[in-house]
Amino acid sequence: MTTLSPEEKKTLITRNLQEVLGEDKLNTILKERDLKIYWGTATTGKPHVAYFVPMSKIADFLKAGCEVTILFADLHAYLDNMKAPWSLLELRTKYYEAVIKAMLSSIGVPLEKLKFVKGTDYQLSKEYTLDVYRLSSVVTQHDAKKAGAEVVKQIEYPLLSGLLYPGLQALDEEYLKVDAQFGGVDQRKIFTFSEKYLPQLGYEKRIHFMNPMVPGLAGGKMSSSEEDSKIDLLDSPANVKKKLKKAFCEPGNITDNGLLSFVKHVLFSLFKEGEGFEINRSEENGGDITFNNYADLEQYFADNKLHPADLKATVEKYINKLLEPIRKEFESPELQKLSAAAYPPPTKTKGGNAANAAAPEEDGPHRLDIRVGKVIEVQRHPDADTLYVLKIDLAEEQPRTIISGLVKFVTVEELDQRLVAVLCNLKPSKMRGILSEGMVLCTSNADHTVVEPIIVPATAAPGSRLAFEGFSGKPDEQLNPKKKVWEKLSVDFKTNNDGLAVWKDNFLLTPEGEKLSSKLANCCIK
């Protein structure tokens, strides 16, 4: 039991936050009882070292006697532009739970004071579903899009899933029976959306706590998708050193400094009484020095008394101290297996051992540079009756010339001005004397009597890149014909039962998240 006064609890709860909405309600509750708070995280990319920022804040909440629920928002992960395929949701949720428990243990947070909840445990219930429908009857499309503007990927023609996202997050507050929700300041629009719409369903307005957005190591927001911007929780000490060497740390710059932000929001909130930020350096560089509060360290750096290299070396020491127990925890075969299954490399390599996993991912469809093209000219090949010579606009300086064997299957009128999907990184090759700079992707039935270009949504723009759900890697500049990359990948490139283009079970999507299709179901795409 904590013996802190309501004022002391409030100080712990609100320190380092950028904003609090509902302060009067907070004061009232703290005079009567301990606060109930939830923090949710969508189970998408791998948690990285920036997750220590909310974790150290959760440690503050627990020190203040709060009841804390951590929500693994698996359904939200799928709704946010399908960042996590259904097949991986369960595995990623298990990974998040294991890694977050390891993080909290590493900073000395007792787990018995915490509750872990999975979104789909209650978000698929009859009552919750009815409330989603009730909410959809009062929320405008404008408000739903605006609420998710900082969190859900914004596209010209948004999927309905992204518009549902803020409403579900608002309903979570009611179904988790909490007084407050905690998140980053990038969630502010969702929080104000919740405050506006929950009372319209007869539910009370909650308190909202917002952390500032902490700069990444490269400057700007720390992101899972920018390798140099984040340190993975399982990174080796060598990788930590390598990434911190690249970290943006301009002498005297305290405004866009991810290292200083990490020290402020994580390390100083975790130091016990009498501990400080201890810098070890040579005598000629000023000798060892310890800072017992962050403001003094910040001023010292702003005055150019602390060299960026010494700051990096010290942060490296503390990060490795935080990560070491997590690395040890994940040495177990069970957790290694879970990690590999939840975040598989884009290919299943033969044998499945560590050496193979580290090998080049030959079967990753991210290696294919598939783009939307518009056919602007169709001519018959002068020396081949079965071939068309197409001029295709790919938003490059010049249209590409592409030879296609569609004469027997598609008329000139059907092809002219049509949007097509073009494989752009094949090695150019001459076909009956004319150089072809790509391939129009088509579906074909088993006996090759019906062939047609796959259908590209009319909203797609020429030149925009198509990508497979769950694969975000960079395409090869040019596919190596000797390694038969396209030949290997095309084996699993087909249409499914619904005629949708997939690689294995991963949809081929436009940047707007729309799927490509064909009139031919269960057919190969070549």
Side-chain angles (χ1 to χ4, degrees):
M1 290 287 291
T2 179
T3 55
L4 298 175
S5 68
E7 292 75 22
E8 288 170 325
K9 289 178 183 178
K10 184 183 174 184
T11 300
L12 268 175
I13 289 167
T14 58
R15 72 171 177 174
N16 287 337
L17 292 176
Q18 183 161 324
E19 190 175 0
V20 175
L21 299 176
E23 197 166 349
D24 289 344
K25 186 171 184 176
L26 172 63
N27 292 333
T28 302
I29 292 172
L30 286 177
K31 285 173 187 171
E32 299 169 1
R33 59 174 173 82
D34 288 326
L35 201 68
K36 296 175 182 177
I37 303 175
Y38 107 81
W39 174 73
T41 181
T43 49
T44 52
K46 267 189 169 183
H48 47 78
V49 78
Y51 272 63
F52 275 111
V53 177
M55 290 304 109
S56 54
K57 196 65 227 159
I58 285 168
D60 278 346
F61 297 151
L62 291 164
K63 286 174 196 168
C66 300
E67 293 177 33
V68 180
T69 298
I70 291 182
L71 172 69
F72 297 116
D74 49 353
L75 189 55
H76 291 67
Y78 182 78
L79 291 176
D80 186 3
N81 209 36
M82 297 174 290
K83 284 181 182 172
W86 279 115
S87 58
L88 292 180
L89 281 179
E90 181 70 26
L91 291 165
R92 289 195 176 172
T93 303
K94 286 178 181 172
Y95 179 86
Y96 264 67
E97 181 163 353
V99 88
I100 284 175
K101 282 180 177 175
M103 288 178 79
L104 291 168
S105 295
S106 107
I107 60 176
V109 175
L111 298 181
E112 60 269 15
K113 293 185 177 181
L114 277 170
K115 185 164 70 174
F116 296 91
V117 176
K118 193 167 67 172
T120 47
D121 288 344
Y122 65 90
Q123 289 164 348
L124 301 176
S125 69
K126 178 183 174 183
E127 294 76 18
Y128 189 93
T129 303
L130 286 173
D131 270 344
V132 173
Y133 286 128
R134 286 175 65 209
L135 197 60
S136 70
S137 71
V138 294
V139 173
T140 65
Q141 181 262 353
H142 172 268
D143 279 5
K145 188 174 181 183
K146 180 183 170 188
E150 301 293 324
V151 178
V152 179
K153 185 178 178 183
Q154 295 300 292
I155 50 182
E156 188 179 356
Y157 299 99
L159 296 173
L160 186 56
S161 58
L163 299 177
L164 286 173
Y165 193 109
L168 269 63
Q169 189 167 334
L171 286 173
D172 290 340
E173 296 180 346
E174 174 63 25
Y175 278 78
L176 292 170
K177 302 298 177 192
V178 294
D179 306 307
Q181 184 180 172
F182 164 59
V185 75
D186 60 338
Q187 309 238 352
R188 191 183 197 281
K189 289 175 182 174
I190 290 182
F191 292 163
T192 54
F193 171 96
S194 170
E195 292 185 5
K196 176 181 178 180
Y197 282 107
L198 276 190
Q200 293 188 37
L201 299 187
Y203 299 140
E204 63 180 281
K205 188 162 73 170
R206 265 61 181 193
I207 303 161
H208 293 104
F209 301 124
M210 282 163 273
N211 249 355
M213 299 311 293
V214 175
L217 300 176
K221 183 179 174 182
M222 196 176 285
S223 165
S224 294
S225 60
E226 293 179 37
E227 276 303 312
D228 287 344
S229 145
K230 55 103 179 182
I231 291 170
D232 189 90
L233 294 168
L234 303 179
D235 268 345
S236 66
N239 272 346
V240 173
K241 184 182 284 291
K242 181 180 160 190
K243 288 178 180 179
L244 285 175
K245 268 189 178 175
K246 294 181 183 176
F248 176 77
C249 189
E250 192 176 53
N253 182 345
I254 58 173
T255 56
D256 189 24
N257 190 318
L259 294 168
L260 283 176
S261 293
F262 188 82
V263 174
K264 177 182 180 180
H265 291 282
V266 178
L267 299 181
F268 269 96
S269 68
L270 297 177
F271 288 145
K272 295 181 175 66
E273 200 171 331
E275 285 184 332
F277 187 68
E278 189 182 318
I279 296 168
N280 302 116
R281 56 185 179 176
S282 61
E283 288 300 324
E284 55 265 34
N285 288 334
D288 295 350
I289 187 169
T290 299
F291 294 91
N292 291 311
N293 67 73
Y294 175 75
D296 290 347
L297 169 66
E298 188 181 82
Q299 190 59 54
Y300 197 77
F301 188 82
D303 292 342
N304 284 308
K305 293 177 181 176
L306 176 61
H307 193 277
D310 291 320
L311 177 61
K312 286 183 180 186
T314 309
V315 171
E316 178 189 339
K317 173 183 74 176
Y318 282 105
I319 285 179
N320 278 321
K321 192 176 174 184
L322 288 172
L323 297 187
E324 194 49 38
I326 302 171
R327 294 181 192 124
K328 277 202 167 71
E329 182 87 10
F330 273 76
E331 283 173 4
S332 78
E334 294 81 15
L335 289 180
Q336 285 194 358
K337 186 179 175 184
L338 173 62
S339 181
Y343 295 94
T347 95
K348 288 180 182 175
T349 51
K350 290 177 184 175
N353 59 30
N356 281 329
E361 293 155 357
E362 288 293 338
D363 296 335
H366 62 285
R367 299 182 66 180
L368 304 177
D369 184 4
I370 303 174
R371 291 185 240 160
V372 175
K374 185 175 183 180
V375 179
I376 57 173
E377 184 180 308
V378 186
Q379 291 184 345
R380 297 285 285 269
H381 194 297
D383 299 318
D385 293 339
T386 60
L387 301 178
Y388 283 127
V389 180
L390 309 176
K391 294 286 185 187
I392 298 183
D393 173 19
L394 287 154
E396 297 172 322
E397 283 186 29
Q398 298 290 331
R400 286 201 192 194
T401 300
I402 292 177
I403 311 297
S404 183
L406 287 169
V407 170
K408 290 195 288 185
F409 309 104
V410 187
T411 66
V412 171
E413 292 73 25
E414 287 171 321
L415 266 182
D416 193 27
Q417 305 305 307
R418 178 174 180 153
L419 290 179
V420 290
V422 180
L423 181 58
C424 293
N425 59 345
L426 288 172
K427 185 178 180 181
S429 63
K430 282 194 175 181
M431 299 180 74
R432 296 292 185 91
I434 298 178
L435 190 68
S436 181
E437 301 169 285
M439 180 168 72
V440 175
L441 295 173
C442 300
T443 46
S444 168
N445 63 357
D447 58 8
H448 207 63
T449 54
V450 182
V451 179
E452 62 164 37
I454 55 177
I455 299 164
V456 177
T459 52
S464 57
R465 187 168 167 241
L466 304 171
F468 291 90
E469 176 192 16
F471 293 88
S472 57
K474 221 175 175 181
D476 291 13
E477 207 161 304
Q478 188 177 101
L479 298 175
N480 188 335
K482 290 181 181 176
K483 293 191 175 179
K484 307 283 185 190
V485 179
W486 164 242
E487 288 79 1
K488 291 174 187 173
L489 290 169
S490 63
V491 172
D492 294 300
F493 194 13
K494 60 186 187 306
T495 55
N496 64 11
N497 292 333
D498 300 317
L500 298 171
V502 293
W503 186 81
K504 296 190 175 176
D505 292 319
N506 304 286
F507 294 112
L508 183 60
L509 303 171
T510 68
E512 292 77 31
E514 294 182 273
K515 297 164 188 171
L516 278 76
S517 61
S518 170
K519 294 170 190 169
L520 302 174
N522 297 311
C523 287
C524 62
I525 297 176
K526 288 189 178 177

